[in-house]
Amino acid sequence: MLTKEGIAQRIAQEIKDGYYVNLGIGIPTLVANYIPDDIEVVLQSENGLLGMGPFPFAGEEDADLINAGKQTVTTLPGSAIFDSAMSFGMIRAQKVDLTILGAMEVSEFGDIANWKIPGKMVKGMGGAMDLVAAAKNIIVAMQQVNKAGESKLLSTCTLPLTGVKCVRKIVTELAVFEVDQKQGGFRLLERAPGISVEQIRNATAGKFFADAVVPEMKL
């Protein structure tokens, strides 16, 4: 199975030259460390930063320079810092080409639940609702099963929704999926190294599709 870093490394392959990309909290923040050197990408954070670089090395952190998840980050030449109003204006105007989010559940139609578990205190939804409403393309980075071994890829989400029919692709510790937003279903595109189609099928509660031959991921 892939580590969190492996999931981020695979997702980095989806980023194209010239993209403006928003990285959500959790696994998505790790993607910044795996963006290929031969492409130019601008990372955007909804707390007001355009042009994020990789995480800083130990001892080089600037406590005033953080991403939306309050992690210390670095900036690249030409980066800009501004208020949240301008940042959300960029998001709502669809200036962001790709959004990478974490999730607690995803339905077979691409609905996403990633902000609240009933009974647990949360500070708020943050920028997730704006991102899923306005993003041109959303990829989810998540663990496929919870601590009890239960699938988080479901026919219908059980947790409060963040957005409806918005997720296009999912990368988990087991596989890469494409979501059929019209007919419903998780189409298996790639397997994690050493993982079988049957293992992935057993870890998927929603509708599942796979070709006769499914390639392994190339990391």
Side-chain angles (χ1 to χ4, degrees):
M1 294 186 291
L2 296 183
T3 61
K4 292 179 180 180
E5 288 76 12
I7 294 173
Q9 186 177 358
R10 174 58 186 83
I11 289 179
Q13 298 175 19
E14 301 292 322
I15 299 175
K16 308 298 182 185
D17 189 39
Y19 266 16
Y20 285 80
V21 181
N22 181 284
L23 302 179
I25 296 170
I27 298 174
T29 61
L30 300 173
V31 174
N33 294 328
Y34 297 101
I35 295 173
D37 293 332
D38 59 347
I39 66 173
E40 184 175 339
V41 174
V42 180
L43 299 180
Q44 191 258 12
S45 182
E46 60 262 37
N47 62 317
L49 177 58
L50 194 66
M52 283 190 296
F55 284 120
F57 292 108
E60 298 181 1
E61 302 93 341
D62 181 345
D64 293 322
L65 193 59
I66 60 173
N67 62 19
K70 297 182 175 59
Q71 297 169 303
T72 53
V73 295
T74 62
T75 56
L76 299 175
S79 64
I81 298 172
F82 36 84
D83 61 25
S84 292
M86 181 173 288
S87 181
F88 279 94
M90 294 176 183
I91 293 168
R92 293 167 184 168
Q94 295 188 317
K95 301 299 184 181
V96 176
D97 298 293
L98 174 63
T99 297
I100 303 169
L101 295 174
M104 292 178 283
E105 294 178 348
V106 177
S107 83
E108 62 189 34
F109 285 96
D111 307 333
I112 181 173
N114 80 338
W115 74 282
K116 180 178 176 63
I117 297 176
K120 292 190 176 183
M121 186 179 71
V122 294
K123 295 180 180 179
M125 185 174 283
M129 183 175 285
D130 296 87
L131 287 164
V132 300
K136 299 176 184 177
N137 185 15
I138 295 175
I139 297 176
V140 165
M142 67 184 294
Q143 300 291 330
Q144 189 157 334
V145 297
N146 60 26
K147 293 180 180 179
E150 300 165 332
S151 177
K152 299 195 289 186
L153 301 185
L154 308 172
S155 298
T156 304
C157 291
T158 63
L159 297 174
L161 293 181
T162 309
V164 176
K165 290 188 175 181
C166 54
V167 177
R168 295 189 180 184
K169 188 171 284 187
I170 304 166
V171 181
T172 75
E173 74 277 20
L174 300 178
V176 178
F177 296 93
E178 184 179 61
V179 180
D180 187 337
Q181 296 178 349
K182 293 183 178 180
Q183 302 299 320
F186 301 102
R187 179 169 295 281
L188 181 60
L189 300 180
E190 298 174 21
R191 301 175 288 115
I195 300 297
S196 70
V197 173
E198 194 61 26
Q199 285 176 287
I200 299 167
R201 187 189 305 274
N202 292 338
T204 308
K207 195 183 299 179
F208 178 94
F209 303 98
D211 293 334
V213 177
V214 178
E216 283 193 353
M217 298 181 200
K218 295 181 179 179
L219 300 176

